Amino acid sequence: MADRRQVLRFGAVAAAAPALAGAASAPAWAGGDGSTRNRALVVGHRGASGYRPEHTLASYELAARTGADYMEPDLVITKDGVLVCRHEPEIGGTTDVASRPEFADRRRTVVLDGVSVTGWWTQDFTLAELKTLRAVERIPAIRQRNTLYDGRFEVPTFQEVLDLRKRLSKELGRDLGVFPETKHPTFFQRLGLELEKPLVRALRRNGLDRRGAKVFIQSFEAANLRVLADEHRVDVPLVFLSSASGNPFNDPRSYADYLTPGGLKELSEFVDGLGPEKGQIIPRRADGTLGTPTSLVGDAHAAGLRVVPYTFRAENSFLPAELRVGTDVSAYGRAIDEQVTFLRTGIDGLFTDNPDIGVLARGLA
């Protein structure tokens, strides 16, 4: 795996972002030891989910058109084994399924990674059934403008996202990337609906499992990434996502332990980067303001790993206290300032719901 990091399949090429006036060319990471780094990647988190309902083709397309280097689809799976893009397998909050009487009897309680959750589940629907549903805004109280698009867009398949990537790359004249996340892979594996095989198959069918391809695969489960590296032997870089607390599912080791210098060294044997919660880069004080940066970026770079934290959003409700403007939780605060602050810690990219803000912040950092 050391060879993979030296070649730095992790973002070997990132393209220009001409969709924004004055946007400079996007970065290409070079070198595996952190000594030669250009500007950070902008990843459209669930597309441009600050402006359109998340995980829709409209959201992904807008991310590309507003300058994102990568579109981020979260992958779950249908009853008939098709990868689709939803943040969670439970779809009651992101589709109109609750209003569909023909699916009322599909509502049930499922234990998801040790937690009982009641709703509607992708594994209970065929793709044909899922395609009759329409996406809705997940957080309408904060993103009321996004509700304008409720009921307009289908749930896309992963293949449809790859087709969109190909079309927009040609139209925009730049190689767009995809940053898929396997959602709850152990949960699905236990249902006999593993995510790894169809994911790898789709990438290879589309000529994207190769060095230099604009693809990263990410997961909150280290075991899932080991399977992709050791059993499927993927040629694209792998990114370990981490939470500020807890453990990966069915893993006795905590996220905090994985992010120690020793843990990072072990991770570097099979992954190429980290996707930490942004508070693990700059924690917040008790009063909600930004505190002092941790050593995580430097520690990760010392282990040969890149760092792409999540999630940067524009609304006051998500911002540090000192960067909020007014008291309306849904109003925009000083999101550019937040992203510039984080970019100056040396991170290698960021996940943002507002890719245009990420591109602008990158030019100012």
Side-chain angles (χ1 to χ4, degrees), residues 46 48-56 58-60 62 137 143 146 149 153:
R46 310 177 195 173
S49 52
Y51 307 124
R52 296 291 186 274
E54 65 188 36
H55 294 310
T56 59
S59 182
Y60 299 133
L62 188 59
E137 171 55 39
R143 291 180 172 163
N146 281 9
Y149 305 100
F153 308 125

Side-chain angles (χ1 to χ4, degrees), residues 124-253:
D124 294 335
F125 290 77
T126 65
L127 178 62
E129 291 173 327
L130 205 61
K131 280 293 189 179
T132 68
L133 304 177
R134 293 297 179 266
V136 299
E137 171 55 39
R138 183 178 59 87
I139 46 174
I142 293 174
R143 291 180 172 163
Q144 191 272 335
R145 290 184 179 180
N146 281 9
T147 64
L148 175 68
Y149 305 100
D150 284 357
R152 299 288 179 178
F153 308 125
E154 294 182 357
V155 174
T157 66
F158 183 46
Q159 182 59 52
E160 287 172 332
V161 174
L162 296 181
D163 292 341
L164 177 68
R165 183 210 70 85
K166 183 176 181 180
R167 175 174 67 81
L168 289 177
S169 292
K170 182 176 181 180
E171 179 184 337
L172 298 176
R174 59 191 182 93
D175 191 18
L176 291 166
V178 289
F179 212 126
E181 178 187 345
T182 56
K183 299 295 293 192
H184 307 285
T186 298
F187 168 78
F188 279 116
Q189 192 274 334
R190 290 176 174 178
L191 295 176
L193 291 168
E194 64 175 308
L195 302 178
E196 293 89 351
K197 283 184 180 178
L199 169 57
V200 174
R201 187 164 55 241
L203 293 177
R204 290 175 177 165
R205 184 173 61 242
N206 289 272
L208 292 172
D209 183 27
R210 56 179 173 79
R211 292 184 176 185
K214 293 286 293 295
V215 178
F216 307 105
I217 301 174
Q218 55 178 335
S219 177
F220 278 98
E221 296 184 23
N224 172 233
L225 297 173
R226 281 192 179 274
V227 167
L228 288 164
D230 297 339
E231 296 182 20
H232 294 279
R233 302 187 68 82
V234 294
D235 274 328
V236 295
L238 304 175
V239 177
F240 178 61
L241 300 170
S242 67
S243 174
S245 61
N247 300 41
F249 179 65
N250 204 38
D251 187 337
R253 192 168 185 176

Side-chain angles (χ1 to χ4, degrees), residues 23 25 29 43 59 72 103 135 143 163 179 242 253 301 327 343:
S25 60
W29 288 334
V43 183
S59 182
E72 189 230 11
F103 297 126
R143 291 180 172 163
D163 292 341
F179 212 126
S242 67
R253 192 168 185 176
H301 287 167
T327 58
L343 287 163

